[in-house]
Amino acid sequence: MARNKKARAVPVTSGAIRYKTKDIDALVAQLDTLKISSHLAFDSDSDAEEEPARPFQPFRFFDLPSELRSHILELLVVKEKTIDLDPSNTRTLLPALRLFFVSRRMHAEASHVFYSQNTFRIFAINGRFFHTKKQLLTRLPEHYIAHMRSLELRLGPGFNKPPKGWVVDARLKLDTAVNVRLLKVFVELDPASHPSFEGFRNEECGATEQFFTVFSVGLLGCLFGELQQLQKVEFDAYPGISRSSPLMQALVEETRMGGKELAWGPERGWDKIVETDLGGMLQKLGIGCERL
């Protein structure tokens, strides 16, 4: 038998390794080139299939029905709180009022919604504007005041010395408020209803504990004289104010004498709570206490 010869190992030199490494690098470079070219080809195909870009079309707001436009504007410019002279107006009101500068038609519709749907305070109560002689209505043009439907009178601040600017005169331009139908009167406190307020007015100067009641009733009567189209007066107050307090009784009597409809606001809850005289009820039931 022929003797099997062992295969002789061929020594691998460094030159052979170097050549194989170059071949591998060249192959990798070819693969990268193929990937890039195929990717470019795919992109070119996708670009060819894409639709041409359409020109930008703005939303035609005024093509909407007027009722829908008014509802959208109400969501933007109608506020829950009464509008007054306040430093925070630049943050709370100014962004919404930028609609006025869009166009003349937008200004006409947005300003009508803003002034007709919001409530505006006649005399400022913010500390920065409390003593101002130029109230909010004084600063507004007459054509804006003509859109207003609701005004508010807040009674209580400055009860011991009302500001000199709290005067109903021609500066308020109330004769142009021809669409105001509702006057909201909010009572913060009644100095004549509690003995803790005694001594805040100097009786030597002719001021008595009934001073603020007389002042408030006179203010309300002057507003009735200026607001010729006024129909309803809505009273509201803080929980500590009773409907039977001297100030409230005087204001209600003035409203009835002026022939205005009487209504009660939501905060105090007078329309839901019936105030009763507990002592009178006990006497009617014969349970009254005898004086010793």
Side-chain angles (χ1 to χ4, degrees):
M1 291 180 64
R3 195 172 182 177
N4 293 333
K5 296 182 179 180
K6 294 182 179 180
R8 298 177 61 183
V10 179
V12 180
T13 61
S14 60
I17 296 175
R18 184 168 59 254
Y19 288 130
K20 289 184 178 181
T21 304
K22 289 182 178 180
D23 294 339
I24 294 173
D25 292 340
L27 181 60
V28 171
Q30 290 180 2
L31 292 175
D32 292 339
T33 304
L34 291 174
K35 290 180 181 179
I36 294 173
S37 61
S38 62
H39 181 68
L40 292 175
F42 178 77
D43 288 346
S44 61
D45 294 340
S46 62
D47 292 340
E49 295 177 358
E50 287 183 357
E51 296 181 359
R54 297 180 180 179
F56 175 76
Q57 294 291 337
F59 180 73
R60 300 183 63 84
F61 176 76
F62 292 106
D63 288 348
L64 297 174
S66 59
E67 296 82 1
L68 185 56
R69 295 200 308 269
S70 298
H71 182 65
I72 294 174
L73 292 174
E74 288 176 5
L75 296 176
L76 295 174
V77 301
V78 176
K79 307 299 179 180
E80 295 182 1
K81 295 183 178 180
T82 301
I83 296 178
D84 191 7
L85 291 176
D86 195 299
S88 64
N89 288 344
T90 56
R91 184 182 70 256
T92 58
L93 291 181
L94 186 59
L97 298 185
R98 291 173 183 171
L99 286 172
F100 290 9
F101 302 98
V102 173
S103 65
R104 290 186 178 181
R105 186 175 180 183
M106 179 64 78
H107 173 269
E109 295 193 8
S111 62
H112 174 73
V113 173
F114 176 75
Y115 287 103
S116 63
Q117 300 298 324
N118 285 304
T119 300
F120 297 85
R121 187 165 292 136
I122 301 175
F123 299 110
I125 63 172
N126 182 270
R128 181 175 177 180
F129 300 98
F130 187 61
H131 293 281
T132 183
K133 295 182 180 180
K134 296 183 65 176
Q135 300 294 337
L136 177 61
L137 299 181
T138 306
R139 301 167 187 250
L140 292 175
E142 295 181 357
H143 63 274
Y144 286 152
I145 300 177
H147 291 300
M148 295 181 180
R149 298 178 182 176
S150 176
L151 297 176
E152 184 194 81
L153 173 64
R154 203 170 185 94
L155 299 174
F159 69 93
N160 59 333
K161 187 179 180 181
K164 295 181 180 180
W166 284 40
V167 179
V168 179
D169 54 16
R171 290 176 297 178
L172 295 177
K173 295 177 281 191
L174 293 176
D175 57 330
T176 61
V178 294
N179 289 309
V180 173
R181 301 292 188 270
L182 174 63
L183 175 63
K184 298 182 179 181
V185 180
F186 192 95
V187 180
E188 292 188 1
L189 55 87
D190 181 7
S193 64
H194 200 275
S196 61
F197 292 100
E198 294 180 1
F200 280 93
R201 298 291 303 181
N202 189 356
E203 296 184 3
E204 295 180 358
C205 298
T208 64
E209 60 182 7
Q210 300 295 330
F211 166 79
F212 190 69
T213 300
V214 176
F215 170 79
S216 301
V217 172
L219 209 60
L220 185 62
C222 292
L223 291 175
F224 289 166
E226 293 291 334
L227 299 172
Q228 298 296 328
Q229 304 300 323
L230 184 65
Q231 298 177 355
K232 181 188 294 186
V233 180
E234 179 185 284
F235 288 101
D236 209 343
Y238 285 142
I241 303 299
S242 172
R243 197 162 64 180
S244 59
S245 67
L247 177 57
M248 284 302 307
Q249 287 182 343
L251 293 174
V252 170
E253 183 64 23
E254 182 70 18
T255 302
R256 289 172 176 169
M257 291 179 60
K260 310 302 180 184
E261 181 183 350
L262 190 63
W264 307 105
E267 183 164 340
R268 182 60 177 85
W270 279 325
D271 56 339
K272 300 178 181 179
I273 301 175
V274 179
E275 297 186 359
T276 58
D277 183 6
L278 182 58
M281 291 182 62
L282 293 177
Q283 287 182 357
K284 291 181 180 180
L285 296 175
I287 316 178
C289 298
E290 297 180 358
R291 293 186 178 181
L292 298 177

